[in-house]
Amino acid sequence: MKKLLNKPEDFVDEMLDGIYRAHPEVTHVAGDLRCYVTAAPVKGKVGIVTGGGSGHLPTFLGFVGKGMLDGCAVGGVFQSPSSDQILQVTRHVDQGAGVLYLYGNYTGDIMNFDMAGELAEIEDIQIRTVIGNDDVASSVVGEEHKRRGVAGIFFIYKAAGAAAARMLPLDEVARLADKVRSRTRTMGVALSPCIIPEVGRPGFQIGAEEMEIGMGIHGEPGISREALLPADAVVDRIMDRILAETDYARGDEVAVLVNGLGATPLEELYIIFRRVSQVMEGRGVTIRHVWVGEFATSMEMAGASVSILHLDDEIEPLIAAGAQTPFFRHFGE
């Protein structure tokens, strides 16, 4: 293992300490570095809480800030945060309008968020939940509830945050977040493994000339392992799977996220976007919003994912709205 760290067991807390020192607009509560919150919650606004394992920056905590999320419970690398950490964050971000839980579809997260939500409601904090499940490779059509939440959760954060910033009520923020969830699809490809610091060795092996289509962000198996193809062919495989589940008509609009998994250069990500753009252009679909970069990583894994959100007149202004966090800036339209 070759990493710039001190003790592996201190990796997460030292990372968080560095973020707090660099970005005073975020802080922590309850004496726990892993209870990560905005330093200036807005009175009367719906609070939005996410959470999940470390190792995925900027997801999850990187989207806490103005126009997006209000707090994040931070777990160990690829580990769920505790229910107590989620509850502490919930108490802080509740400003009288209730709290939306918004996180990925993983068993430990679901269990601990459910427990925290029950305890919060005992304290008269209204809770609603939306669970991201955008990864088309992780389950078949008709069983979407089994799908993992991956990079496409960015779009849900964006829309929910904008809706809450408009001071919309909790049920409306949750409805809009769920609508975006239902219209988002993601698929990725992995080229290399990653190393969890406390484990000290790769979580899986993949050949130098191989790729795994559909691998999850924790190294979960994909749908096939095969010889590495040229970039355009890889994107075509991804887009075929995503487009098989959509009903785009000519003139429709989408938002596109091309996400690097941690070790893929921006140059390669833009080659991927080039092909995505060509595919959508061939269908007569307009790409209204584009983000290319690292949004949901897997430590130092090489690879990328493509997320597509089908826009409409209700969703588009939320995606277009401005937002500012330590890890993300969008000036809005």
Side-chain angles (χ1 to χ4, degrees):
M1 180 174 69
K2 184 182 288 186
K3 292 180 180 289
L4 292 171
L5 49 74
N6 295 306
K7 296 178 180 178
E9 60 269 26
D10 294 334
F11 177 78
V12 173
D13 290 334
E14 290 186 349
M15 172 268 295
L16 288 168
D17 188 30
I19 292 173
Y20 295 132
R21 290 171 183 269
H23 302 288
E25 64 269 38
V26 291
T27 187
H28 60 282
V29 293
D32 188 340
L33 292 173
R34 302 189 184 197
C35 295
Y36 183 103
V37 296
T38 179
V42 178
K43 196 69 178 175
K45 186 185 81 67
V46 169
I48 305 176
V49 172
T50 192
S54 297
H56 302 301
L57 276 177
T59 291
F60 302 89
L61 62 87
F63 299 119
V64 172
K66 185 177 181 181
M68 293 191 82
L69 311 177
D70 299 283
C72 177
V74 182
V77 177
F78 298 177
Q79 299 174 6
S80 299
S82 72
S83 58
D84 183 66
Q85 289 167 330
I86 298 165
L87 180 60
Q88 295 293 348
V89 172
T90 302
R91 287 168 174 160
H92 177 81
V93 308
D94 176 46
Q95 298 295 306
V99 174
L100 173 65
Y101 285 169
L102 177 49
Y103 57 93
N105 192 20
Y106 299 95
T107 301
D109 294 339
I110 293 170
M111 179 179 67
N112 289 339
F113 269 94
D114 281 351
M115 187 180 304
E118 291 174 2
L119 294 171
E121 290 187 330
I122 291 172
E123 299 179 14
D124 294 324
I125 302 173
Q126 282 190 298
I127 301 294
R128 299 292 184 272
T129 297
V130 174
I131 301 176
N133 63 336
D134 52 303
D135 183 6
V136 300
S138 53
S139 189
V140 298
V141 174
E143 296 186 351
E144 289 88 351
H145 65 284
K146 296 181 180 179
R147 289 180 171 176
R148 301 179 291 244
V150 286
I153 200 171
F154 163 80
F155 289 134
I156 316 177
Y157 289 161
K158 187 75 183 60
R166 292 180 175 184
M167 306 302 285
L168 296 178
L170 178 60
D171 284 341
E172 183 68 356
V173 174
R175 181 189 71 80
L176 290 164
D178 193 58
K179 182 177 181 180
V180 172
R181 176 205 60 77
S182 72
R183 296 167 72 94
T184 300
R185 299 290 186 276
T186 299
M187 187 167 170
V189 57
L191 307 182
S192 75
C194 63
I195 299 173
I196 297 174
E198 290 191 69
V199 175
R201 62 183 183 276
F204 61 93
Q205 298 294 330
I206 188 168
E209 300 299 325
E210 289 184 322
M211 63 179 183
E212 182 136 359
I213 296 285
M215 177 171 282
I217 60 174
H218 306 102
E220 301 96 333
I223 57 176
S224 67
R225 180 172 292 196
E226 54 197 79
L228 180 63
L229 297 172
D232 285 0
V234 173
V235 174
D236 288 347
R237 293 281 302 278
I238 290 171
M239 294 300 290
D240 285 348
R241 186 69 178 256
I242 291 175
L243 294 172
E245 299 193 10
T246 57
D247 56 352
Y248 298 133
R250 297 189 71 85
D252 280 359
E253 295 183 333
V254 298
V256 173
L257 176 75
V258 176
N259 171 64
L261 294 177
T264 300
L266 270 173
E267 290 88 344
E268 295 178 29
L269 298 181
Y270 276 99
I271 290 172
I272 290 171
F273 174 72
R274 166 190 168 275
R275 185 58 176 170
V276 172
S277 178
Q278 290 173 341
V279 171
M280 300 309 278
E281 184 178 295
R283 287 179 168 251
V285 175
T286 298
I287 298 177
R288 183 72 179 270
H289 301 285
V290 179
W291 284 279
V292 177
E294 292 185 339
F295 292 81
T297 62
S298 185
M299 297 297 292
E300 74 275 40
M301 185 183 290
S305 64
V306 177
S307 300
I308 310 289
L309 166 61
H310 192 178
L311 299 170
D312 66 9
D313 291 342
E314 186 173 46
I315 294 173
E316 194 282 328
L318 302 175
I319 300 300
Q324 180 173 325
T325 84
F327 292 79
F328 177 75
R329 301 285 193 280
H330 182 61
F331 293 105
E333 295 183 355

